[in-house]
Amino acid sequence: EGVLIGLGLAVAKTAWEASHLRTELVDKGAGLVQVRLSGNATFLRLPKILDSLEALPQDRPVELDLSGLHHLDHACRTALEHWAERHSATGTEPVRVTAAGKPATART
């Protein structure tokens, strides 16, 4: 029984860690809005990510920092690229996507 309980808890802990994502927003009231994602960006957290990004002001430039991500799956990457294209199409500066302090290869 103890082994099964331990195995079940290990699976639950792994599932929690694999789906954990933190979104940090730095908005000083004017100018650049910085958004930092850390953790694991998977399709399970995609609605949370998109809700946070859609709530950003449309008339201000955005820097999207992905350097804190451990994992970025294909669905999230595609959704972030499409969001960046839509946000940039509103007439503001293009969304800057950075990873580890350097510009990312994602299209903006």
Side-chain angles (χ1 to χ4, degrees):
E1 289 179 24
V3 171
L4 292 177
I5 291 171
L7 184 60
L9 290 175
V11 168
K13 180 182 177 213
T14 302
W16 168 256
E17 289 174 353
S19 68
H20 187 70
L21 177 74
R22 181 174 176 190
T23 305
E24 183 180 338
L25 175 68
V26 177
D27 184 1
K28 296 180 181 171
L32 183 68
V33 177
Q34 296 175 317
V35 180
R36 183 169 193 267
L37 299 178
S38 58
N40 295 298
T42 65
F43 69 96
L44 296 172
R45 295 294 180 198
L46 191 52
K48 176 186 174 186
I49 296 169
L50 291 177
D51 286 345
S52 298
L53 294 175
E54 293 295 338
L56 297 174
Q58 292 291 319
D59 60 341
R60 307 227 331 256
V62 174
E63 178 182 67
L64 186 58
D65 183 2
L66 306 178
S67 63
L69 290 179
H70 301 293
H71 177 74
L72 176 64
D73 72 6
H74 181 71
C76 283
R77 180 182 174 93
T78 302
L80 290 174
E81 289 173 350
H82 288 147
W83 174 83
E85 289 172 5
R86 283 194 319 272
H87 186 82
S88 299
T90 62
T92 62
E93 293 179 31
V95 173
R96 287 188 290 177
V97 180
T98 59
K102 300 176 184 175
T105 58
R107 290 176 288 160
T108 56

